[in-house]
Every structure is written in C-alpha cells, then in structure tokens.
Amino acid sequence: MLPDLNYKEAVFYVMSGTGNTYRVSRWIEEIANRHEVKAKVVLIEDADFSNDFIQSPDFLVGLLFPTHGFMPPWSMIKFLFRMPIRTNVPVMCVATRGALKIGSLQIPGASGFATFFAAILTLLKGYRVKAIFSLDMPSNFINFHWGLHPKNIDKISNKAQSRLKLLIPRILNGQRIWFTRNNLWEMLWCVFLFWLVPVFPIAYLIIARMFMAKVMFSNNKCVGCGMCARFCPNNAILMKDAGTKKRPYWTYHCENCLRCMGYCRKKAVEAGHSWAVLLYFITSVPVITYAWAWLHRTLSFYPVINGYWTIEVVYIFNFLIYIIFFLFAVFLSYRVFWYLIRFPVFNTFFSVTTLTHYYRRYHQPDTKLKHLAGIKKKKQTL
Ligand SMILES: Cc1cc2nc3c(=O)[nH]c(=O)nc-3n(C[C@H](O)[C@H](O)[C@H](O)COP(=O)(O)O)c2cc1C
Ligand code: SF4
Ligand code: SF4
C-alpha cells in the first residue's frame, strides 16, 4: 500500500453556474496556500490535462461542481469522461448543494449520487480517491423557490467556510475522507432514490435538458444586451431578432445552471411557470390513443396488430411514438411561445403568472461574471 503523503501541489477543476462552487474552490485554494501547498483553480473549459497536473502521489486533483438533481451537471459529467487515465493520482470529489434557511432553521441540501458518481468514474480511470464530501451553500435553485435573503446567504456561506477550515487541512495531511456522517446522509438519499424511482437522476438529467430549458424566456425588461448569451458556459442562448430588438432564445444545450437568471442585471430572465403548466398539457396529449382509434376506424388496423404482435411490442411502440410526439411538441411549442412573448401583452401575461417574477435572484455575492468565464470566453467577451 502507498503511504499517505502531504501534498506539494494541487489543481482544482471547477464547474460553477452561479458562483457558489467557484467561491468554494477559492476558499480551498486559500487554505491550501496557507499550508504551503501550491494550488491553482482551473475552470473545466480551460482544462489542459497534460500541463495542469503531473502523475504523482504528491499532486492532489480536486473536482468541484454543483449538484443538479442529485448528479453532477452534464458539462461536469462530460469532463469526467474526458479526464485521462492516470494511476495513483489522488483525487478529491466535492459537490456543493443547495441549503435553505427559514428563520433559524437551516435545511440542508442533498447531493445524492453526485460525489459518488465522480468518485466511481475517477476510480475506474485509475485515480486514488482520497476525499469525498458535499458542502451546503445557499441554494441557487431559483426557478423553483425564492432567492434567499442576503442575511441568510451570509450565514450559510460562513458555516461552509468554517467547515472547510476544519476539513481541508485534514485532507491536505493525507487523511482519507470517506466514511463520514455527511456521506452517510448522501448514501441514505441514494438508497431512498433507488428504492423509490430507480432511474431518477438519469431521468432528471434528460428532463431538465428537454423541458426545463424550454420554459425560460426574457420578460419585457430585457434590453437585448446579450450578456446572458455571452456568459452562458454552454453557449446555449442564441440572440434572435424579435421585432424591434434581439431576445435570448434557449436551446437544448442549456443545462439549467441558472447563471443567466442569476446574473441578468435587469432581472429579465424568467422560468415560465404558467407556460410550464400549459406545456405539460400540450405534451400529455394521449396522441397514441387518437392514432390507434383513427387507424382502427379507417383500416381496422388495431386488431391485426394485436393478433400478430405481443402486448410488449405494442407497448414499446406506443412509448416510442409518445417520445417522438413529446420532443416534437416541446420543440414546436417553444417556437410559438417565443414568437408570442415579443408582444407585450403576452409577455406580461406569462411574466405575471410565473413565480420567478416575484422571487429574489441569486448569485454568489463575491463572484463576478468575469470570474466564471473561461480564458477563451474572456477573450471573446471582455
Ligand atoms: C437545476 C438545479 C438542480 C439542483 N439540484 C439540487 C439537488 O438535487 N440537491 C441539492 O442539494 N441542491 C441542488 N441544487 C442547488 C445547487 O446545487 C447549489 O445551490 C449549488 O451550490 C450551486 O452551485 P453553483 O453556484 O456553483 O452553480 C440544484 C440547482 C439547480 C440550478
Ligand atoms: S435577458 Fe438580461 S442579460 Fe439577457 S439580453 Fe435580456 S437584459 Fe440582457
Ligand atoms: S442558458 Fe442559462 S441556465 Fe442554461 S446553461 Fe446557459 S447560463 Fe446556464
């Protein structure tokens, strides 16, 4: 067995939507530098594996990302798959999760599979997983709930920073952080989710991609500055002509990191709740029932199929038709929706009937957009 070593150098790869994880990586970097570990923070889009770290047990590789539906975000998953195979390079997997505070009660977030997923993948690539932990930061999930009050943001952040001050020196001393109360909490979530809905995290990743991006729109306050498009980490926003000005159009590349929503200076990005309800009904049309009924009426088709095919085949066929209809309906109806919101009356209707219109926005207070832009993006935008 390799002996535990103190690290000499570290690189922290970071994915961050609204700045929480970026801030955490800077706090860790500060602590590391204080312990004479030469550390640097690298955004995942700037990663250069051949120069960022060497294959050595003295070199710690940190992987930091937010939790999205109990998993790492898509961009982080792709990054983990891209990581090169290296033997015995120590790795630390950290997920920030969304905590809420109501009065004096702090409600912790849950990372579920997020850190374990990163740990298993890196383990399979030959790395030595030395530390796994999740950390409560103020929740940025503002398409679902109100943005936290600044006082509560401070309290949650201070608690996170204090926790890091205790934890990081232990990790830098080579201690293995695996069997902790924190990881037990996350394990319980994994068991609960597996038992309840076995495919929940995967389903979430797909639904968020298909559905959640397609409820985003800009309200009448949008001035068409294009900042949301320029700073989107996935280049998921297109600025398209919409009457007298340009408006953001959300594509399927969006992974719902909420950077655009959290940082828009005009508070113009909304996640249309009333539109989501309408979209739900549009996509739930029992299209296959109508199709079968029509075929049966015109060709007496259904009994023939039922005679030759097993119920399972018919069931799978139904399901496939539904998926095709779902994708088509989401795609087409977003185009119609996007056309309508250029008219102030429709825009006002969808804005005032969405809860995000009344919610506070959130981004990590000390993290500026320029901190979150990779080198290439900085060259293009700043
Ligand atoms: C789409 C989405 C899904 C989220 N899912 C979870 C979750 O499953 N569990 C959790 O604790 N927090 C969840 N959160 C909250 C974030 O993980 C948390 O606020 C994180 O610190 C944000 O980091 P960032 O500012 O670096 O993007 C979610 C946030 C978003 C936007
Ligand atoms: S939504 Fe906000 S950031 Fe995007 S173009 Fe409109 S005003 Fe600018
Ligand atoms: S469009 Fe907005 S929410 Fe989607 S990935 Fe880009 S910045 Fe994040």
Side-chain angles (χ1 to χ4, degrees):
M1 247 184 50
L2 283 162
D4 280 337
L5 295 167
N6 292 344
Y7 305 107
K8 307 270 185 298
E9 283 184 70
V11 60
F12 302 124
Y13 288 119
V14 183
M15 184 269 146
S16 179
T18 54
N20 279 351
T21 318
Y22 175 82
R23 191 51 44 208
V24 166
S25 71
R26 288 294 179 198
W27 290 335
I28 298 180
E29 183 196 29
E30 260 173 51
I31 300 171
N33 288 339
R34 238 178 284 139
H35 284 77
E36 294 180 356
V37 175
K38 215 171 114 199
K40 63 176 175 190
V41 169
V42 177
L43 297 175
I44 56 169
E45 59 254 54
D46 293 335
D48 173 2
F49 298 119
S50 46
N51 288 321
D52 291 337
F53 65 97
I54 49 165
Q55 184 152 335
S56 158
D58 294 353
F59 207 119
L60 178 68
V61 175
L63 302 166
L64 297 95
F65 47 87
T67 308
H68 282 184
F70 306 102
M71 285 286 275
W74 270 114
S75 52
M76 193 66 202
I77 294 176
K78 283 190 264 175
F79 175 83
L80 292 168
F81 276 106
R82 266 203 342 263
M83 277 180 79
I85 292 172
R86 298 279 161 88
T87 35
N88 286 328
V89 173
V91 160
M92 170 179 84
C93 302
V94 184
T96 62
R97 54 187 201 191
L100 289 172
K101 202 158 167 55
I102 302 170
S104 58
L105 179 72
Q106 180 164 327
I107 304 165
S111 279
F113 299 102
T115 44
F116 303 134
F117 182 87
I120 291 168
L121 220 61
T122 43
L123 205 67
L124 290 175
K125 290 194 172 209
Y127 294 79
R128 218 161 34 118
V129 179
K130 292 292 291 184
I132 308 171
F133 71 94
S134 52
L135 187 73
D136 275 332
M137 284 293 279
S139 178
N140 72 343
F141 211 178
I142 47 170
N143 48 358
F144 268 91
H145 60 71
W146 67 97
L148 291 171
H149 189 277
K151 235 175 29 197
N152 290 335
I153 293 174
D154 270 358
K155 283 189 182 148
I156 297 172
S157 307
N158 290 343
K159 213 167 162 181
Q161 216 174 346
S162 309
R163 202 173 145 223
L164 289 175
K165 281 180 188 157
L166 293 176
L167 194 61
I168 298 301
R170 284 169 54 201
I171 295 172
L172 295 176
N173 273 332
Q175 221 176 331
R176 203 161 71 162
I177 306 290
W178 273 27
F179 300 104
T180 58
R181 249 189 329 186
N182 172 261
N183 285 338
L184 181 68
W185 163 256
E186 303 300 3
M187 280 303 295
L188 288 175
W189 272 96
C190 292
V191 172
F192 173 69
L193 287 168
F194 257 126
W195 179 73
L196 201 67
V197 212
V199 290
F200 180 88
I202 312 279
Y204 173 83
L205 281 174
I206 295 165
I207 288 167
R209 191 107 193 182
M210 297 290 154
F211 196 81
M212 279 161 74
K214 291 299 181 192
V215 298
M216 307 278 270
F217 72 101
S218 65
N219 64 28
N220 284 330
K221 286 188 268 175
C222 173
V223 289
C225 66
M227 205 177 71
C228 49
R230 286 199 300 279
F231 284 94
C232 168
N234 297 306
N235 297 319
I237 296 177
L238 303 175
M239 292 302 291
K240 288 193 177 191
D241 287 322
T244 51
K245 63 180 171 192
K246 283 186 184 275
R247 273 186 185 280
Y249 176 95
W250 276 263
T251 69
Y252 285 115
H253 295 289
C254 172
E255 64 177 345
N256 225 252
C257 73
L258 298 189
R259 184 182 296 176
C260 50
M261 197 175 199
Y263 278 95
C264 169
R265 291 198 189 108
K266 298 285 172 190
K267 214 181 154 213
V269 178
E270 311 275 15
H273 290 139
S274 48
W275 168 239
V277 173
L278 209 64
L279 196 57
Y280 171 77
F281 283 109
I282 295 171
T283 53
S284 316
V285 174
V287 63
I288 192 70
T289 316
Y290 295 147
W292 282 140
W294 180 79
L295 283 170
H296 180 49
R297 262 198 322 272
T298 51
L299 305 168
S300 300
F301 191 64
Y302 188 62
V304 177
I305 281 188
N306 240 2
Y308 290 109
W309 291 1
T310 63
I311 287 295
E312 282 81 8
V313 172
V314 173
Y315 183 76
I316 290 168
F317 189 65
N318 282 1
F319 182 70
L320 286 178
I321 292 208
Y322 176 69
I323 293 289
I324 292 166
F325 169 74
F326 176 87
L327 295 178
F328 189 65
V330 172
F331 176 75
L332 211 66
S333 39
Y334 187 68
R335 293 197 150 219
V336 174
F337 172 65
W338 193 81
Y339 179 78
L340 287 179
I341 52 119
R342 73 180 61 188
F343 302 106
V345 58
F346 287 111
N347 196 304
T348 306
F349 172 77
F350 283 113
S351 298
V352 297
T353 51
T354 188
L355 290 170
T356 58
H357 200 60
Y358 309 99
Y359 289 162
R360 233 181 256 121
R361 297 296 192 255
Y362 176 78
H363 66 76
Q364 204 283 329
D366 301 323
T367 307
K368 308 271 175 279
L369 266 178
K370 64 178 180 195
H371 298 138
L372 300 174
I375 293 167
K376 247 190 273 158
K377 217 168 241 304
K378 265 194 195 117
K379 275 191 194 145
Q380 287 163 9
T381 54
L382 299 173

